[in-house]
Amino acid sequence: MTRNTRKRRTPLATKVVAGAAALAVGGGGLVWANFYASAHEEHPGHNRTRSAAAQVATIDCPDIGQKISGVPERARGEVDGELATMDSQITNAYKRLATTRRAQAGDSQYVQNTILGPLKDRRKAIIDRIQLEINRAGGRADDNLDELAGCQGRPADQQQNGDGQYGDGQDGDGQNGDGQNGGDQNGDGQNGDGQNQDDNGNGVAGPVAEDFIDINDVEPNSRDSQNGLAANGDGGSTGTFTSDCGVNENNLFNSDNLIAAPGVDNGAHHVHDYVGNQDNDAFSSDQDLANADTSCQNQGDKSTYYWPVLRLQDGTEEFDANDQGGGAEGNIGKILQPAQAELKFVGNQQSDVVAMPKFLRIITGDAKAFTNGDANANTSWSCSGFEDRQVTDKYPLCPDGSQVLRTTNFQSCWDGQNIDSANHRDHTAFVQQDGSCPDGFQAIPQLQVRLAYDIPTPTIENGQVQNPYAVDSFPEQLHKPITDHNDFINVMDEDLMNEVVDCINRGEDCQ
């Protein structure tokens, strides 16, 4: 597979912290306010603050990229570009949603007529182009993709179940029945104008208090998900290989996504940490990756390992405070460097593993899981000392002295033919419950990434979380923890990959 070789600006490689700033994005950055209308409900014996969701909090669109398959290889670049344009359309519509609250308060059909209706038309035009590109390249496009053009608005506390039941409207007529929940002013006329919002005082849509949980309140061994199963066990291939590639000491950041949006600047709409390969932007070709430097101690490992940065929303104005992918798209605060980044490859419970092909691409988790549902979510949050307590849809509140942990177990079954696929998922699979690979797939070394962070524990006061930490996300995903994800491109040289496989199959622990 070839990749776009056009080069652009050097990736942002220097993190400049400008110091403490006002708790909002300044200098032209978009202030992300007015997402949650807080109201106080009187109940016998107590008074609680709730997220009333008086307005549409976010935009929920079917993920076209996950619905297409059988795209001829020579059409994938064009299709990926169209999908990236569609992501930008959603982001722009979300910005419009975030900055027109007063207009929405005065017109119950504003969101439908001004935001969602035009968005559907633009998405329909892109779907038509995608179908044409697939058919021109000799494929057969799904004639029913047009049914996925419409988006809906919904409150922040309603997560999709992934059942594909999408409408054109917004829960009735677009805004929870009458569009304004009693005029969208809750009796005081303020919530539509940016007052009393659950934005933690910094103008950011999330995370909110409900996105956090005390690690002591997580039941041990309660995480039950097919995704993220550890492939290794007592049988089969029991060895390990650890690659030490640092914690991004080189401050290599950008908001591209070479796998999902090759050739598209700011294709991720959020910032990634990179370790390993040092030539990572949307325009890097396979040859660029092969010729690049690496931060890995073993210089034979030029693989690309990347994930969304974590930020502490403490008012720090980072180098990207006014940039797309950063503050201009709601990702603000101090970028947190991991205290440790462990990259470990393990074996399979049932069989030996085979070598990964060079330039194999794997995406695990789903950056849009808040709106897509959890079918592809692969999130595991915990605290050091509490590793038997894993949570998928909450950020953990860890006790003093305990680190926040992000753990990801990648797909470890390969179709034996392709280094990528149209939706960037079908060419790999997770092991089954018994540890074996599905029919037609063969076991490859499973990458397990464990990131540890020293983060001051946020506090929750009066229903708001103070100084929260959050994963960078697409703006409309509201920094939900379930959107965490991880990406990998194998650029190990042949000798090293063979060493990894031999070590794992022999049952040894190597590095």
Side-chain angles (χ1 to χ4, degrees), residues 36-41 43 48-54 181 186 196 198 210 463:
Y36 308 90
S38 293
H40 288 83
E41 291 183 323
H43 295 276
R48 69 182 179 88
T49 299
R50 66 182 177 90
S51 291
N181 194 26
N186 293 317
N196 299 321
D198 285 344
E210 290 80 5

Side-chain angles (χ1 to χ4, degrees), residues 2-8 263 282-288:
T2 59
R3 292 283 166 173
N4 192 328
T5 58
R6 182 168 64 90
K7 298 300 289 183
R8 56 145 196 179
F283 304 93
S284 297
S285 67
D286 288 349
Q287 184 177 359
D288 292 330

Side-chain angles (χ1 to χ4, degrees), residues 312-348:
L312 183 63
Q313 294 178 1
D314 62 350
T316 296
E317 187 167 311
E318 275 283 11
F319 69 91
D320 62 348
N322 300 316
D323 295 341
Q324 295 299 309
E329 296 187 270
N331 293 306
I332 70 169
K334 180 182 179 180
I335 293 177
L336 298 169
Q337 185 178 91
Q340 181 186 28
E342 181 182 78
L343 311 174
K344 180 185 292 186
F345 294 87
V346 303
N348 181 274

Side-chain angles (χ1 to χ4, degrees), residues 56 108-109 111-112 116 153-154 169-177 179:
V56 174
S108 64
Q109 293 299 310
V111 173
Q112 176 60 38
L116 293 185
R154 64 184 177 86
Q170 308 154 55
D171 301 320
D173 69 356
Q175 299 177 14
N176 298 321

Side-chain angles (χ1 to χ4, degrees), residues 340-361:
Q340 181 186 28
E342 181 182 78
L343 311 174
K344 180 185 292 186
F345 294 87
V346 303
N348 181 274
Q349 294 180 35
Q350 301 291 336
S351 70
D352 283 353
V353 297
V354 301
M356 294 180 183
K358 198 167 187 178
F359 306 118
L360 175 69
R361 288 153 162 81

